[in-house]
Amino acid sequence: VDKRALARARERLVGSGTVGGGVDKLLCIGASTGGPEAIRLLLRSLDAERCAIAIAQHMSPSFMAPFAERLGRLSSFTVRVAEHDEPVQPGVGYVAPGDRHLRIVRQGGGAVCQIESGPKLHGHRPAVDRLFLSAADALGDSALGVLLTGMGTDGAFGLVGMHDTGALTIVQDKASSAVWGMPGRAAELGAADLQLPVREVGPLLSELLVNRA
């Protein structure tokens, strides 16, 4: 990891906000082609018990529940398909349902999941941009954004939004991506604090979050 980029990443986390409701940070992950394996690699090496996770993966609706179940078995998080108005809790991962957008909104002292069937974005529902932009609006620097392998541009502008509101943002590097469309476009737009091989994302986030204070 580039030492200067890592130092800037640490600076972003120091003094940044918390989600509330017992949740320190909400890690928002977006992916498409090659995403299930990339997300699996990230989550199995992520140790951040005070965080929650929200995932938008381009995938056929019938695969969403088995995908969430598999992630839960392979990680320290309880992972499930998100439900409407479900509170965001620490140690839980929320997967966008098939053919539905997942948004995050503030409610009370924390955050909740919102499920909606609005128009497709970039030809996709769920769309990564819908998740990322909602997190930027609701949580600002209390969120983290990670854009993984995928074809097209979905998530790139959302990651810009997250970066501009103070969130730490990461994209998967070209060498470890099945398709460097989505993360590549985000990198071109200057949205990424760090570009990393997917195997390094979980360990680095774990270390940064433990030592962010």
Side-chain angles (χ1 to χ4, degrees):
V1 182
D2 179 85
K3 290 184 178 180
R4 285 179 295 181
L6 183 57
R8 290 193 297 270
R10 291 183 190 278
E11 288 175 6
R12 277 203 169 232
L13 286 177
V14 172
S16 60
T18 61
V19 174
V23 179
D24 181 9
K25 298 289 183 187
L26 176 66
L27 172 59
C28 298
I29 301 171
S32 186
T33 310
E37 174 64 10
I39 294 170
R40 182 184 70 82
L41 289 171
L42 194 166
L43 292 196
R44 77 176 187 183
S45 59
L46 180 64
D47 182 13
E49 61 183 17
R50 294 177 57 228
C51 292
I53 300 170
I55 297 169
Q57 165 69 50
H58 300 164
M59 185 183 286
S60 172
S62 62
F63 291 109
M64 289 300 190
F67 173 57
E69 183 181 347
R70 187 164 63 252
L71 290 177
R73 290 198 308 267
L74 297 171
S75 74
S76 62
F77 288 80
T78 299
V79 184
R80 56 179 175 256
V81 175
E83 296 184 0
H84 190 65
D85 282 340
E86 184 173 10
V88 173
Q89 297 179 314
V92 181
Y94 304 90
V95 175
D99 200 32
R100 295 291 184 270
H101 294 303
L102 169 60
R103 295 178 61 248
I104 304 298
V105 299
R106 280 280 187 193
Q107 186 170 295
V112 299
C113 299
Q114 296 279 289
I115 307 303
E116 55 184 45
S117 56
K120 292 182 178 181
L121 294 180
H122 314 288
H124 296 287
R125 189 174 53 225
V128 181
D129 269 342
R130 203 80 176 101
L131 171 61
F132 281 8
L133 290 171
S134 72
D137 289 343
L139 303 180
D141 66 5
S142 301
L144 306 168
V146 177
L147 189 56
L148 301 173
T149 175
M151 188 178 300
T153 62
D154 186 27
F157 294 102
L159 202 68
V160 171
M162 294 189 73
H163 187 268
D164 287 350
T165 56
L168 175 65
T169 54
I170 297 172
V171 297
Q172 185 175 353
D173 71 355
K174 187 173 184 178
S176 68
S177 294
V179 182
W180 208 53
M182 290 158 51
R185 181 58 177 149
E188 289 175 2
L189 293 171
D193 292 303
L194 297 166
Q195 286 185 44
L196 296 171
V198 67
R199 291 180 183 274
E200 294 182 13
V201 177
L204 181 65
L205 279 177
S206 301
E207 192 274 332
L208 288 174
L209 290 168
V210 167
N211 297 296
R212 81 177 188 89

